[in-house]
Amino acid sequence: MVKIFSVRHIPYIKLFLLLACTQPKENYLSIHNRLLTLDTHADTPLNFAQEGFDFANAHDPWKTGTQVDLPRMQAGGLDGIFFAVFLSQGPLDSGSIDLAHQKTLDYFSSIYQVVEQNKELVAVATAPDDLGKLNNQGKKAIYIGLENGYPIGYDLTRAWQYYNLGARYITLCHGTNNQICDSSTDPSGPLHNGLSDFGKELVAEMNRIGMMIDVSHISDSAFNDVLNVSKAPVMASHSSVRSLCDHPRNLTDDMIIRLAEKGGVIQINALSSYVKTPGPNLERDSAMAEIRSKYGSYDQMTPKKRDEFRKEYLVLKERFKDDLAAVSDFADHIDYVVDLVGIDYVGIGMDLDGGGGLKDCYDVSEMPEITRELLKRGYSEEDISKIWSENFMRVFREVDQYANQVP
Ligand SMILES: [Zn+2]
């Protein structure tokens, strides 16, 4: 037997152990910056037309109400983002649908314009590998998703048209039912009891062309129909866990299990009331009710009134900032999905510029806080890398692969 250590080695072993224990842990920021990070849902294009907003400049989130711009993306070490082309639901006559389609094309143009103005530092991305490739060139990846299939109308070729303009997912509906499916939040209840016949055709067409299907916003029965019809994995671009926060926008355990069984992914939303049910706060609730009655419905406001409302609303939001959910609440949703189905089926879609924002990670510049929290909870760098982009990119690749093998 070879004797490796003898008594005379003991002081050296002690010294080694001492050094190992006192070695400072690597800083969470350097780990965060090494990872490829992707957020799969931001409504930032809504701000492009806002007076005084320039994507190239940093803005104060509490003064402007904006949460994403290029300097803050750099500060937050976010490498890629899906900008939503968002259309609110309107009537289903052909005139209204065509107007929505025109508006959709205008949104695409505005994204390309902003990218062109910042082309040294950002580029439109359309493939899973673009995130890493652009990162190597020192550029942020701007992916595009369509939030609400409303402007497709009943014309399947529009899905292909949006794909050719760079869109890589379509959220089938928004807050109310449309021609494709039922929404999880329509106050009038279900219209199709799931996917409509047209919705089923659209899902098949999306599979065929390689467009990801986003199940965020859709009703539970529409979700189940999508899972039955889709031949490729699907994803929820910005939804959280209903067992932790009982809201119809969130997914039940059964839905998360079905999603995972099909190889999909749930990207956790940071919209506070989907993360943590807000506790009672009389002062906040009456102040919010007061400005709501003062200004009436947002849709009816003139642009000037909207501006005034926005300013007053932001002051209130900042005043009651402490009521927002925290990064630790957000990470509870990640933990929950990991415990339920494993590490491979969860990611991040904070819904910034669309209502998302946590008290200690309110805009894109604070995203390293999420990595810090996950490290604190014992996730390895490999796990965190899956959460920040790899899980979602697996779905993206499989959707691509399916499209490439069908005629
Ligand atoms: Zn949304």
Side-chain angles (χ1 to χ4, degrees):
M1 199 179 97
V2 185
K3 203 174 169 197
I4 303 172
F5 298 117
S6 65
V7 175
R8 68 189 170 85
H9 286 115
I10 286 175
Y12 299 104
I13 294 167
K14 274 187 177 163
L15 183 68
F16 171 78
L17 287 173
L18 185 75
L19 280 174
C21 295
T22 53
Q23 199 66 239
K25 264 194 167 172
E26 195 183 358
N27 185 283
Y28 72 96
L29 272 178
S30 56
I31 294 174
H32 180 80
N33 289 331
R34 195 159 60 216
L35 299 169
L36 275 179
T37 52
L38 174 76
D39 182 291
T40 56
H41 195 88
D43 288 293
T44 311
L46 291 175
N47 295 333
F48 292 165
Q50 192 184 308
E51 211 188 300
F53 181 83
D54 182 345
F55 185 66
N57 298 333
H59 305 75
D60 180 331
W62 298 106
K63 299 256 171 335
T64 62
T66 69
Q67 294 166 303
V68 179
D69 52 44
L70 186 49
R72 282 185 285 169
M73 266 183 93
Q74 286 164 330
L78 186 69
D79 302 314
I81 193 162
F82 267 87
F83 278 166
V85 168
F86 165 69
L87 273 295
S88 57
Q89 188 58 45
L92 287 167
D93 61 280
S94 62
S96 306
I97 289 171
D98 285 346
L99 267 178
H101 172 61
Q102 193 48 54
K103 216 172 154 187
T104 304
L105 300 182
D106 293 345
Y107 270 125
F108 276 103
S109 302
S110 72
I111 294 173
Y112 279 94
Q113 210 177 336
V114 165
V115 169
E116 176 64 24
Q117 285 160 358
N118 298 279
K119 62 180 177 208
E120 305 300 318
L121 297 168
V122 299
V124 170
T126 53
D129 290 344
D130 288 349
L131 182 67
K133 283 185 194 159
L134 289 170
N135 188 250
N136 288 338
Q137 297 168 25
K139 291 182 182 177
K140 303 292 182 199
I142 307 292
Y143 290 94
I144 304 172
L146 176 71
E147 184 173 28
N148 197 356
Y150 168 50
I152 292 169
Y154 296 93
D155 182 357
L156 288 178
T157 65
R158 281 192 185 158
W160 179 234
Q161 188 180 356
Y162 302 150
Y163 183 93
N164 284 323
L165 286 169
R168 287 298 177 268
Y169 73 67
I170 297 174
T171 317
L172 299 181
C173 71
H174 190 244
T176 51
N177 305 331
N178 65 8
Q179 80 282 18
I180 299 164
C181 66
D182 296 331
S183 166
S184 60
T185 48
D186 193 317
S188 62
L191 176 67
H192 313 285
N193 288 316
L195 268 179
S196 69
D197 288 341
F198 175 74
K200 287 175 188 156
E201 283 177 45
L202 179 66
V203 165
E205 177 65 1
M206 288 168 73
N207 283 165
R208 194 184 70 81
I209 66 179
M211 181 78 91
M212 280 180 279
I213 296 157
D214 179 12
V215 296
S216 286
H217 283 289
I218 76 176
S219 73
D220 293 9
S221 49
F223 172 94
N224 283 317
D225 283 353
V226 168
L227 274 275
N228 289 337
V229 175
S230 179
K231 302 266 193 265
V234 304
M235 58 87 191
S237 74
H238 59 307
S239 291
S240 303
V241 174
R242 205 179 298 173
S243 284
L244 294 181
C245 182
D246 189 10
H247 193 289
R249 272 286 282 108
N250 291 338
L251 307 192
T252 64
D253 289 6
D254 283 347
M255 289 159 86
I256 296 167
I257 291 167
R258 277 204 80 186
L259 192 73
E261 278 172 354
K262 214 178 167 97
V265 65
I266 172 174
Q267 303 285 106
I268 303 298
N269 193 333
L271 197 144
S272 186
S273 54
Y274 302 163
V275 175
K276 194 179 80 174
T277 308
N281 181 334
L282 225 63
E283 199 191 340
R284 178 200 63 209
D285 295 346
S286 69
M288 288 289 184
E290 202 178 299
I291 70 158
R292 249 183 247 119
S293 77
K294 182 174 161 190
Y295 286 96
S297 153
Y298 190 80
D299 291 338
Q300 310 291 321
M301 291 177 208
T302 61
K304 191 168 168 273
K305 278 274 168 223
R306 274 187 191 179
D307 233 36
E308 289 170 25
F309 168 79
R310 213 180 150 82
K311 279 186 191 126
E312 278 195 47
Y313 177 74
L314 282 172
V315 170
L316 276 189
K317 217 172 166 192
E318 188 173 15
R319 193 167 124 211
F320 296 105
K321 184 183 171 185
D322 282 348
D323 287 358
L324 292 175
V327 169
S328 59
D329 301 311
F330 180 81
D332 287 347
H333 287 251
I334 295 176
D335 279 355
Y336 192 93
V337 177
V338 172
D339 287 346
L340 187 66
V341 290
I343 186 69
D344 297 320
Y345 308 98
V346 65
I348 292 166
M350 285 188 69
D351 209 356
L352 295 180
D353 291 324
L358 305 164
K359 67 176 152 194
D360 44 358
C361 179
Y362 188 69
D363 72 4
V364 66
S365 70
E366 295 175 291
M367 279 188 171
E369 293 304 315
I370 295 173
T371 300
R372 172 155 55 181
E373 179 68 23
L374 295 174
L375 285 166
K376 210 166 90 186
R377 290 181 183 215
Y379 286 93
S380 66
E381 184 172 339
E382 198 189 340
D383 289 345
I384 299 172
S385 177
K386 287 183 173 187
I387 295 167
W388 265 121
S389 66
E390 283 172 30
N391 291 339
F392 183 86
M393 289 310 189
R394 178 198 68 236
V395 176
F396 199 164
R397 272 190 199 98
E398 283 180 27
V399 168
D400 251 2
Q401 274 159 15
Y402 178 81
N404 288 333
Q405 79 192 23
V406 291

